[in-house]
Amino acid sequence: MSVRTRRLRACGLAVLAPVLVWLVADPVLGHPLRMVDGEQTLDVGAVPVATVALLAALAGWGLLAALERFGVRRARAVWVGVAVAVLAVSFLPLTGDGMDGGTRAALALMHVAVAAALVPGLGATGGADATPRASGRAANSVGGERI
């Protein structure tokens, strides 16, 4: 399987996983995911969940591709570190007021589900075809000259 196919599948799974969490929490268990900010109430639905997950997946893929393209040493390790940091920061809004424990737990599980799909799916090495090469040049060269 090519790197692009593996990463595309990881992004698809990253979109599907939080939607499945939402399906279990909201329609199946009957706990609407709701956040209250003063007089405004925000109901979390499947479409916003899928949209945010897709944006996160594409941003993660784009960052990894940029790190690899610009020859960052240990690009995947750097990317995994950034992904773990982003996951940790994504929990900060869940510490505030305006949502009950069930909503907080479901949202946290959604964040973990996206990370569980993306980190191994995008960051994994997959053998000889997993390392992209720039137009036939050697991996340790710049402008055709060996470094």
Side-chain angles (χ1 to χ4, degrees), residues 77-141:
V78 170
W79 182 84
V80 169
V82 170
V84 169
V86 168
L87 175 63
V89 169
S90 77
F91 287 120
L92 291 178
L94 302 179
T95 62
D97 295 333
M99 65 186 91
D100 62 13
T103 298
R104 196 178 318 273
L107 291 173
L109 188 56
M110 287 179 194
H111 290 209
V112 170
V114 170
L118 290 179
V119 171
L122 293 181
T125 58
D129 68 339
T131 305
R133 304 229 184 245
S135 63
R137 294 183 189 142
N140 59 349
S141 68

Side-chain angles (χ1 to χ4, degrees), residues 7-18:
R7 290 179 178 177
L8 186 59
R9 286 183 180 182
C11 289
L13 183 59
V15 172
L16 181 63

Side-chain angles (χ1 to χ4, degrees), residues 66-85:
L67 290 170
E68 290 173 340
R69 173 72 175 105
F70 294 114
V72 173
R73 295 188 85 213
R74 302 184 40 85
R76 288 187 179 106
V78 170
W79 182 84
V80 169
V82 170
V84 169

